Amino acid sequence: MSTRFEPPVSDLVKPFWDATRERRLVLQYCRADGKPVHYPREACPRCLGTDLEWRPSSGRGSVYAFTVNHVPGSAAPQLPLPYVVALIDLDDGVRLMSNVVGCAPSEVRVGMPVDVTWEPLSDGRALPLFTPRKG
Amino acid sequence: VAIVGAADVVSPNGVLKKTIPALHAQVVKEALDDAGLRPSDVDALFTAGSTPMASLELAEYLGMRPRYTDTTMTGGSSFEMHVEHAASALAFGLCDVAVVTFAQTPRAPGAVGPGQRRRDWDPTWPSPLIEWELPYGLRLPVGAYALAASRHSSEFGTRPEDLAEIAVSTRAWAEKNPRARYREPLTVGEVLASPYVCEPLHKLDCCLVTDGAGAIVLSRADRAMHLKKPPAFVLGVGSCHTHAMISAMPNLTVTPGVVSGPKAFGMAGIEPPDVDVLEAYDSFTITVLLALEDLGFCAKGEGGSFVRGGRLGPDGELPTNTNGGGLSYTHPGMYGMFLLVEAVRQVRGEAGPRQVKDVDIAVAHGCGGVLSATSTIVLGSRATV
């Protein structure tokens, strides 16, 4: 029984989800300026060009901000409390929302280096979560 | 342009056993009575929140045929945006008497959020929020504001005690407002001892959830001079929005208030020290702290020290949220209307026990979404025009 809200798959985001089946994190890039785009779009929010492609992410980043949830999230089903919702600044140059796992919520700090880890979803996809970098 | 009528409806227990259209009718009537105008004088309608075609349905219900209509929906700041838009429309002669109205009953059985329909949260309907935020258990809206508080704390050393000071000062104002939901004195210790919702925000860092409604009436200044009560002149307006989702906010310690505030103050020809009363959206304590910095009352990062010692309270130098705010007065999903109503009352000198002395400049600063959209309105007394 899943305790996590599993997002639907849109045509646009399908390549992202397909990569997660192989535990690969990919990001959308605009070919015009060579910079990443997140969240994925049909058009680049810098130039509105549509020449976009998927490229691998380093999966490395740091915690930009975080909150420890003591109440359930807005979408059901909900995670066991408490849990950490964080904004992660990837080294690739984008910010994304995720969870920090693999340590106690009280150990999470802003600026903490983190690496991607995967939580399987019920259909073979996986969600990119983040765990404190070791060593 | 001036605000010439204002009214709001709240309940001591937060519950108003009326339908949303009935509340609109009540506050529109009361605001028009306050101005000495009749329903047939109204030729422009502004509203947001009830339904997707809100002004069409509401105008029909109220028996109006507006020649100017606006349903701009930016969450809590919608009604400040409406004042900005109404001021332009009035100045251009596109309408003569504008009504801005709000009503919401989140305490009613089966209520959904402002402007939402049930399918907006349908998990089979992809949207950026559903794909990129909700799978991680974000609680909206509080989780987003908690992220901003986290970042502010780490960049500037802002303490939970500092945020709690804002709730305490606001409660001190509510003690003076017999219509406020919560009026018992509050201490910093009590705020910090209240349960965490989303760390670092406690329950008492968060606004209420109440039913409520309000309306204001605007006209051009020449007509305003001949109506029932002293006008609150619209001296400056400014708006800006930067994102819809918190993960897309460019910098979590800087709100669009850095644009809307200076725009409005510049138009009014005022500086922060000229402000006699500040009504600043208090969905959460952090919302106020960020507004104080972004409107220029203190430097970026200094909000925590600025609010200490009751500076925002009844004996402080910057009276803020003088009706008790969204934290202690009322908060029906979108609070922006109540900022305007209280600012008008303070400019007119009709706020009773909580009246600030000699108010010439009052600012209503709305903030909607997840620190997404701000709109700043500077109101002035007769002495300012």
Side-chain angles (χ1 to χ4, degrees), chain B residues 44-382:
Chain B
L45 181 63
F46 298 71
T47 192
S50 333
T51 57
M53 290 195 215
S55 68
L56 302 195
E57 294 171 17
L58 185 60
E60 178 184 273
Y61 180 94
L62 297 175
M64 292 178 179
R65 296 179 182 185
R67 58 195 181 105
Y68 194 94
T69 196
D70 188 330
T71 54
T72 298
M73 174 55 172
T74 60
S77 55
S78 301
F79 309 96
E80 282 71 34
M81 299 253 182
H82 292 170
V83 169
E84 177 188 57
H85 302 175
S88 331
L90 286 160
F92 244 153
L94 304 178
C95 57
D96 293 321
V97 173
V99 163
V100 185
T101 177
F102 163 76
Q104 206 82 58
T105 57
R107 299 288 298 276
V112 294
Q116 284 181 356
R117 292 152 293 171
R118 288 178 196 285
R119 74 173 159 85
D120 290 344
W121 293 69
D122 179 351
T124 64
W125 191 276
S127 73
L129 184 70
I130 286 208
E131 293 172 305
W132 303 105
E133 292 197 345
L134 295 189
Y136 304 99
L138 180 69
R139 169 82 162 207
L140 284 168
V142 58
Y145 287 82
L147 287 166
S150 153
R151 185 66 198 180
H152 200 276
S153 168
S154 78
E155 275 193 38
F156 305 115
T158 307
R159 307 170 310 164
E161 292 84 348
D162 302 330
L163 295 175
E165 280 268 0
I166 293 168
V168 168
S169 296
T170 308
R171 180 64 63 85
W173 282 112
E175 288 175 46
K176 296 172 176 289
N177 182 357
R179 299 167 71 230
R181 175 83 178 87
Y182 290 121
R183 303 187 62 204
E184 309 75 28
L186 185 66
T187 67
V188 167
E190 286 167 340
V191 177
L192 299 182
S194 67
Y196 276 127
V197 180
C198 291
E199 273 181 65
L201 299 181
H202 306 79
K203 181 167 188 282
L204 291 175
D205 286 299
C206 303
C207 65
L208 310 169
V209 179
T210 64
D211 296 341
I216 55 171
V217 183
L218 297 102
S219 76
R220 278 181 294 279
D222 50 356
R223 185 166 189 179
M225 299 295 212
H226 302 103
L227 294 175
K228 199 161 132 191
K229 286 193 180 170
F233 294 92
V234 179
L235 305 180
V237 295
S239 299
C240 183
H241 56 95
T242 53
H243 60 281
M245 298 198 301
I246 196 68
S247 56
M249 184 169 181
N251 177 342
L252 262 69
T253 66
V254 181
T255 75
V258 294
V259 174
S260 71
K263 265 170 77 182
F265 285 20
M267 186 185 298
I270 65 159
E271 303 279 343
D274 298 323
V275 175
D276 299 310
V277 176
L278 174 64
E279 310 297 344
Y281 205 102
D282 59 343
S283 44
F284 304 93
T285 50
I286 183 67
T287 321
V288 177
L289 188 121
L290 292 171
L292 292 168
E293 296 175 352
D294 291 344
L295 297 182
F297 290 100
C298 60
K300 180 50 65 186
E302 291 176 7
S305 53
F306 183 81
V307 301
R308 283 174 208 159
R311 189 182 298 224
L312 308 185
D315 302 315
E317 63 192 69
L318 181 60
T320 298
N321 294 335
T322 47
N323 55 2
L327 292 167
S328 289
Y329 174 53
T330 193
H331 195 295
M334 301 194 289
Y335 178 72
M337 174 57 70
F338 303 90
L339 301 168
L340 292 160
V341 170
E342 178 66 5
V344 169
R345 288 180 177 149
Q346 289 286 345
V347 165
R348 285 174 171 174
E350 57 183 22
R354 64 180 189 278
Q355 178 66 45
V356 176
K357 271 203 182 118
D358 305 325
V359 173
D360 285 321
I361 301 283
V363 168
H365 177 71
C367 179
V370 286
L371 297 165
S372 311
T374 64
S375 182
T376 314
I377 306 297
V378 180
L379 297 180
S381 70
R382 180 81 186 260

